[in-house]
Amino acid sequence: ITLRLGRALCRLVTSLCTFEPDLLPRNENAPPLVSSAHAHVMAFHQEEFVFKLHLLLKKSFDPSMVLALRAMAINNEIVQAVVAVGLLKQAREILLSISSSGNDDNSNSQSQSDTIDTVVAVVGLFRNVCANDDVKTSLCIGNQSIVEALVLVMATFSKQALLQEHGCGTIAAMALRKPKNAQVLVIQYQAHLSIIQAMQNHPQRATLQRQGALAIRNLVSRAADLRPALLQADAGKVLLQIAAQHVSCQDEVYAALRDLDVNIGIVNVQQQDNGRVVVKKTEMFGEEGKTLNFRPVFD
């Protein structure tokens, strides 16, 4: 198979396997549309697509092929197949190579554009495979760690918003339910500084802000001793600024602030029929002194 044909096939696979949450029917009377992405992934997996993609990637580590691999990596079985054929090791070597190459995102050359496309695709792949608890720990701690390289490419390509989003998402996944990983990320690699810098550099990108807030929350939720380091780096200030800008990620921001032990409340602004604006504090379940109408048994 030629490289050109391989790229075209991988773009097709990526399109078929990418979930589309906002599918709309052709008219209002038509039944709702349901994405077939999961069924497509499982069909390709049944045909051992990961192994065949491995053979293609041995010829050329092309971004379109990495994106297809990322679209496929949606469950533990497929992630284990990615690890088994050595694709994760290959992706790690590419990330290490780019992180030590001395490139930055100030050049407009074609080779630099290809490098950026590759590193964005590779970090996006790591973001997906870190949903597996065993894989994410091996990528965080020990001689297979990618964190140092990840932090370096986030600093090197600071203008690339999608890369920063994938980086924050990868750190968030690594820290989720893993306090030991969180300790290594903050104390050894200062990964929290990369998150906060990414959030400050791209204040208008709500999806990045959501991943950043999730990452901050996951770092401290089971490692309270890390709170001072994040607060000293202005995590609380950055989160409050996001809350004022992006309605779509306020739940994640509130959770991060709560786990940072920052005292904050949520208000609900409503306009009544007479035009009067009323501001009410939202009662949060579990707050001291609050008695929300909660029934543990439905009858």
Side-chain angles (χ1 to χ4, degrees), residues 1 42 49 123 150 163 167 175 189-190 218 226 258 264 291:
I1 184 171
M42 299 313 296
F49 178 77
V123 176
L150 175 62
L163 171 62
Y189 295 109
Q190 304 287 293
N218 291 350
L226 298 178
R258 178 198 63 207
I264 187 170
T291 55

Side-chain angles (χ1 to χ4, degrees), residues 267-280:
V267 296
N268 185 16
V269 181
Q270 296 178 336
Q271 185 171 14
Q272 297 180 336
D273 293 338
N274 59 8
R276 183 185 175 192
V277 175
V278 178
V279 179
K280 295 182 179 179

Side-chain angles (χ1 to χ4, degrees), residues 166-178:
H166 287 334
C168 290
T170 302
I171 295 168
M174 284 181 172
L176 180 64
R177 300 186 304 272
K178 294 289 183 178

Side-chain angles (χ1 to χ4, degrees), residues 40-102:
H40 294 158
V41 170
M42 299 313 296
F44 282 121
H45 180 54
Q46 194 171 8
E47 298 297 325
E48 299 183 334
F49 178 77
V50 170
F51 176 72
K52 293 167 184 175
L53 188 56
H54 168 58
L55 298 178
L56 274 177
L57 284 164
K58 287 174 71 175
K59 296 180 181 179
S60 172
F61 206 84
D62 189 87
S64 62
M65 300 174 189
V66 183
L67 289 172
L69 187 61
R70 183 194 176 214
M72 288 282 298
I74 64 169
N75 62 30
N76 281 340
E77 183 181 349
I78 298 174
V79 170
Q80 292 297 341
V82 172
V83 175
V85 298
L87 281 171
L88 219 52
K89 181 181 178 182
Q90 194 175 358
R92 177 178 174 273
E93 290 170 353
I94 293 291
L95 184 64
L96 292 173
S97 173
I98 293 173
S99 69
S100 60
S101 66

Side-chain angles (χ1 to χ4, degrees), residues 120-133:
V120 169
V122 168
V123 176
L125 172 63
F126 283 126
R127 176 181 174 182
N128 271 37
V129 299
C130 280
N132 179 294
D133 283 350

Side-chain angles (χ1 to χ4, degrees), residues 150-165:
L150 175 62
V151 167
L152 189 53
V153 296
M154 288 179 71
T156 302
F157 302 102
S158 59
K159 297 177 184 177
Q160 306 303 319
L162 184 56
L163 171 62
Q164 302 299 317
E165 180 182 333

